[in-house]
Amino acid sequence: MGSLQQRFQSFLERPNLLTDLLGRVEAKTGVKRTYLAAGSITFVGLYLVFGYGASLLCNLIGFAYPAYVSIKAIESSSKEDDTTWLTYWVVYGVFSVAEFFSDIFLYWLPFYYFGKCLFLLWCMAPVSWNGSQMLYRRVIRPCFLKHHQTVDSVISSLSGSALDAASTITTEASRGAMKLALDSQKTK
């Protein structure tokens, strides 16, 4: 498995968009990509703790890369990557709804956005103990399996009621329009 430093170094050697950028900066500046990456991570971490707009940065981190790889997953022929990123988005959605109701209290915590960013990184990490997979299997899926039939029947009932209401409104609106048209012809 190797030490954390060895895994970090091995990640920086793999070809991808980030390591290509680091390679170009390394070639121009002469600063090793390990130091560039560590400095960038430190800067982002400190910005998440002390910077203005930490919420935007944290949400970009939690959205930009997953959106990019989700599009790649859609375009690939493999189903496994689709499932991985759909699971991430389900967890992200549940987290976003929970955060909406608790954000007024949580954002006052000094390291909230740093912790949120670490949470989102854990949820998208390509490791066996990936956060989105764990949370889905242990929390979301059991809750879904327990309540999905009730939710389905409520949605079915609501959609039927919505169709009935739309039909009634359309009928009443057309009757009202006809009456207005007849009344305007009578006054001529």
Side-chain angles (χ1 to χ4, degrees):
M1 180 108 171
S3 72
L4 183 61
Q5 184 178 6
Q6 290 170 333
R7 287 185 289 172
F8 183 63
Q9 189 64 41
S10 134
F11 170 77
L12 292 177
E13 298 301 324
R14 278 188 242 149
N16 61 47
L17 183 65
L18 177 66
T19 56
D20 292 345
L21 175 68
L22 286 172
R24 281 184 266 155
V25 173
E26 179 181 29
K28 288 188 182 211
T29 62
V31 178
K32 290 183 179 180
R33 71 177 64 195
T34 307
Y35 297 135
L36 291 169
S40 298
I41 291 168
T42 302
F43 173 76
V44 168
L46 288 171
Y47 190 83
L48 285 169
V49 174
F50 302 112
Y52 181 76
S55 172
L56 175 63
L57 178 62
C58 185
N59 287 329
L60 280 173
I61 290 169
F63 180 81
Y65 176 74
Y68 172 73
V69 293
S70 294
I71 292 169
K72 285 180 68 171
I74 291 168
E75 297 301 322
S76 77
S77 59
S78 171
K79 183 187 180 305
E80 186 177 319
D81 56 357
D82 295 356
T83 304
T84 298
W85 290 105
L86 276 171
T87 305
Y88 172 82
W89 289 114
V90 167
V91 171
Y92 184 87
V94 169
F95 177 75
S96 293
V97 169
E99 182 186 37
F100 174 79
F101 292 106
S102 61
D103 193 42
I104 194 164
F105 304 111
L106 294 176
Y107 92 99
W108 287 99
L109 297 174
F111 299 105
Y112 172 66
Y113 290 113
F114 183 74
K116 177 183 173 183
C117 191
L118 288 177
F119 169 76
L120 293 173
L121 288 170
W122 174 57
C123 285
M124 69 177 90
V127 293
S128 61
W129 40 273
N130 174 291
S132 58
Q133 298 295 326
M134 289 178 68
L135 289 170
Y136 179 79
R137 272 189 261 117
R138 294 182 181 171
V139 179
I140 296 169
R141 186 171 188 271
C143 184
F144 171 79
L145 292 176
K146 183 176 179 182
H147 300 288
H148 79 91
Q149 290 175 335
T150 305
V151 172
D152 287 346
S153 67
V154 168
I155 289 172
S156 177
S157 173
L158 286 175
S159 67
S161 298
L163 286 173
D164 291 343
S167 175
T168 302
I169 290 170
T170 303
T171 304
E172 292 298 321
S174 64
R175 283 184 190 157
M178 287 283 229
K179 185 177 181 200
L180 282 174
L182 290 174
D183 289 345
S184 69
Q185 284 181 355
K186 287 180 184 177
T187 58
K188 287 184 179 181

